[in-house]
């Protein structure tokens, strides 16, 4: 099939509903959970603020609009390579310079929802990824890989979502060897439904925050606070995860869209 026919077919399938657009994004607003870092990195991202300019009133009789105050790493968002020191030297590692061809890609959805419910500190290992590939097929170069934990179902409560207690934050994520394996496959990036791409306790890993450290070291991307991954098949969907073109931004809220074939 020619590329032209492929696009004609995709367009027709979108119109007929044979391909469905699934929203993998959480609501962005004052109640959106924001990562809280340990006290030695105490300068936080502030909560999202939405300020009304006008709503058909004396400040704007015919129009409604707001202005926003928000951190780059707020809600469902993109981590660009320049976010981490290991990726600081990539000239195409910013939100305004990265190659967009790489952010529209097939997505592999690894379902760890049962494991994450049983253990909030669940870690996805390379061996578990290999077992998933044996069942569902190989992860290929250029693809997204995302961890389904059903964590988005906690997003209505900051406390439940961040899940911090006296021993720190507890949320599922990848091990060092998992990220090393995925990088060996040449993935475009890694995503999670949790507050960040790394596990809650990843600050104790070697290296600390391996998803951040190693993905961005290799000029790869991260996606955090994704939603609705339970509506995606293990393979077969295409994920569109494009950051705003913030000038030399290190990340950005996104509207993450999955194109999902309906059988
Ligand atoms: C800064 C420092 C550590 C982490 C993060 C940000 C994130 O998770 C993020 O939003 O990229 S772990
Ligand atoms: Mn981030």
């Amino acid at each position: 099939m020619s590329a032209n026919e492929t696009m004609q077919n995709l367009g027709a399938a979108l119109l007929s509903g044979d391909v469905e657009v699934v929203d993998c994004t959480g609501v962005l607003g004052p109640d959106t959970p924001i990562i809280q870092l340990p006290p030695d990195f105490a300068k936080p991202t502030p909560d999202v603020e939405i300020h009304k300019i006008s709503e058909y009133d004396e400040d704007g009789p015919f129009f409604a609009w707001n202005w926003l105050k928000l951190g780059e790493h707020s809600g469902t968002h993109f981590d660009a390579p320049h976010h981490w020191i290991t990726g600081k030297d990539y000239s195409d590692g910013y939100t305004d310079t990265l190659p967009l061809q790489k952010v529209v890609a097939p997505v592999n959805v690894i379902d760890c929802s049962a494991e994450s419910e049983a253990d909030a500190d669940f870690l996805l290992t390379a061996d578990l990824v290999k077992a998933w590939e044996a069942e569902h097929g190989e992860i290929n170069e250029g693809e997204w890989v995302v961890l389904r934990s059903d964590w988005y179902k906690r997003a209505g409560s900051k406390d439940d979502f961040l899940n911090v207690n006296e021993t720190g934050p507890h949320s599922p994520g990848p091990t060092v060897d998992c990220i090393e394996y995925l990088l060996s496959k040449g993935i475009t990036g890694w995503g999670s439904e949790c507050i960040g791409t790394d596990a809650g306790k990843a600050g104790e890993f070697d290296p600390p925050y391996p998803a951040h450290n190693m993905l961005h070291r290799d000029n790869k991307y991260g996606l955090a606070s994704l939603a609705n991954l339970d509506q995606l098949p293990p393979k077969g969907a295409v994920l569109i995860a494009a950051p705003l073109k913030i000038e030399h931004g290190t990340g950005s809220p996104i509207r993450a869209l999955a194109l999902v074939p309906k059988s």
Side-chain angles (χ1 to χ4, degrees):
M1 197 189 303
S2 70
N4 190 291
E5 287 171 311
T6 299
M7 285 310 297
Q8 296 273 0
N9 289 343
L10 174 59
L14 284 162
L15 291 177
S16 71
D18 285 349
V19 169
E20 193 184 348
V21 178
V22 171
D23 188 359
C24 298
T25 320
V27 173
L28 190 61
D31 297 328
T32 297
I34 303 289
I35 193 166
Q36 309 295 314
L37 293 178
D40 39 330
F41 311 104
K43 195 171 178 185
T45 290
D47 282 341
V48 174
E49 295 178 18
I50 302 177
H51 297 272
K52 183 180 294 184
I53 303 171
S54 75
E55 194 171 15
Y56 333 120
D57 50 27
E58 62 279 10
D59 295 320
F62 315 135
F63 38 91
W65 52 358
N66 305 311
W67 67 272
L68 310 179
K69 175 173 161 183
L70 81 173
E72 295 173 323
H73 298 259
S74 302
T76 304
H77 76 269
F78 190 102
D79 286 351
H82 194 75
H83 178 43
W84 218 254
I85 189 170
T86 48
K88 68 184 172 60
D89 293 327
Y90 291 112
S91 61
D92 61 352
Y94 302 91
T95 48
D96 56 340
T97 62
L98 61 86
L100 283 179
Q101 187 87 25
K102 293 192 185 297
V103 309
V104 181
V107 60
N108 299 273
V109 182
I110 303 183
D111 181 5
C112 305
S113 57
E115 295 86 341
S116 301
E117 181 162 15
D119 176 11
D121 288 316
F122 169 75
L123 297 177
L124 182 67
T125 63
D127 282 344
L128 289 169
V129 173
K130 290 172 192 169
W132 182 92
E133 287 183 294
E135 185 176 351
H136 299 288
E138 231 188 304
I139 293 166
N140 301 300
E141 189 175 350
E143 295 182 342
W144 288 111
V145 180
V146 296
L147 189 164
R148 173 186 160 196
S149 55
D150 288 352
W151 213 256
Y152 79 93
K153 295 177 180 175
R154 297 170 173 243
S157 158
K158 286 182 190 181
D159 283 349
D160 288 351
F161 196 81
L162 297 171
N163 203 34
V164 178
N165 66 13
E166 58 288 347
T167 59
H170 299 277
S171 55
T175 61
V176 172
D177 82 315
C178 176
I179 295 294
E180 198 65 74
Y181 178 67
L182 294 174
L183 289 169
S184 79
K185 308 287 284 191
I187 64 164
T188 199
W190 157 265
S192 169
E193 290 180 316
C194 299
I195 194 71
T197 52
D198 269 297
K201 59 181 181 181
E204 300 161 20
F205 295 178
D206 182 19
Y209 307 109
H212 288 82
N213 180 297
M214 296 155 70
L215 285 167
H216 304 325
R217 175 197 71 197
D218 287 8
N219 206 9
K220 307 299 184 183
Y221 312 129
L223 304 174
S225 301
L226 291 167
N228 298 326
L229 298 182
D230 53 346
Q231 294 181 38
L232 273 50
K235 272 185 170 284
V238 166
L239 182 63
I240 303 171
L244 296 177
K245 205 167 180 174
I246 297 168
E247 186 174 358
H248 274 202
T250 71
S252 158
I254 56 174
R255 190 70 181 257
L257 306 179
L259 307 185
V260 178
K262 293 283 132 178
S263 41

